[in-house]
Amino acid sequence: MSEEDRARLYSWLCEQTDEPLAEYLMSCLAPAPLLDLVTKDFLRSELEKYPTKDEVAARFAAFGDRMEAKFDQLAVQRDADRREFAAQREADRAELAVQREADRAEFAAQREADRAEVKNQCRWGLWCRS
């Protein structure tokens, strides 16, 4: 409301009621400088800078679709990693089984060599069981 409008309203209120009541009513109306008022055209031009509700909804939908695609890619990658790790685990188990058998054979050969040596020592009387 411009100052001119406020002055006209105040004088009308004074005619209709008494001056204290007119002053009270005018104090209830917040004064706004004319420079702070916004025109509809200015408001429209400012609002055009921001996306509409439909545009925001479309962006969120596109974002959701991208996130879903990323989650699908992660699931595929996770499954591939699981298969790869399972294959590696089986390969490691097979390698360890071969190593275990080699160790058993080596320890059995060492045990037989130790028994033969003990037997040989008993034959010469160096060491025997009682």
Side-chain angles (χ1 to χ4, degrees):
M1 183 181 313
S2 69
E3 287 298 320
E4 183 181 322
D5 291 336
R6 288 181 66 83
R8 276 190 286 148
L9 180 61
Y10 177 74
S11 52
W12 182 82
L13 286 172
C14 285
E15 290 173 9
Q16 301 300 319
T17 63
D18 59 347
E19 191 172 334
L21 183 58
E23 287 178 9
Y24 171 74
L25 291 173
M26 291 303 293
S27 69
C28 292
L29 297 174
L34 191 57
L35 297 177
D36 289 346
L37 296 177
V38 175
T39 63
K40 289 180 182 179
D41 292 335
F42 176 78
L43 185 59
R44 282 189 189 107
S45 68
E46 287 296 310
L47 290 176
E48 285 175 0
K49 295 178 183 178
Y50 300 101
T52 63
K53 186 182 352 177
D54 293 336
E55 291 170 340
V56 170
R59 287 180 186 177
F60 274 120
F63 177 74
D65 292 345
R66 286 196 314 268
M67 292 307 298
E68 189 174 332
K70 291 288 184 184
F71 283 133
D72 291 344
Q73 289 175 354
L74 285 174
V76 168
Q77 184 63 45
R78 182 196 60 213
D79 293 342
D81 288 347
R82 284 181 177 170
R83 285 190 299 274
E84 179 185 342
F85 292 143
Q88 184 62 45
R89 185 174 53 244
E90 291 304 316
D92 290 346
R93 284 181 179 169
E95 182 182 336
L96 288 173
V98 168
Q99 182 64 43
R100 185 174 52 246
E101 291 303 316
D103 289 346
R104 283 182 181 169
E106 180 185 344
F107 293 145
Q110 182 65 45
R111 187 173 54 244
E112 291 303 316
D114 290 345
R115 285 181 180 167
E117 185 180 340
V118 168
K119 194 179 212 184
N120 192 23
Q121 287 176 356
C122 282
R123 191 178 299 157
W124 295 98
L126 297 174
W127 182 84
C128 288
R129 293 183 187 172
S130 315

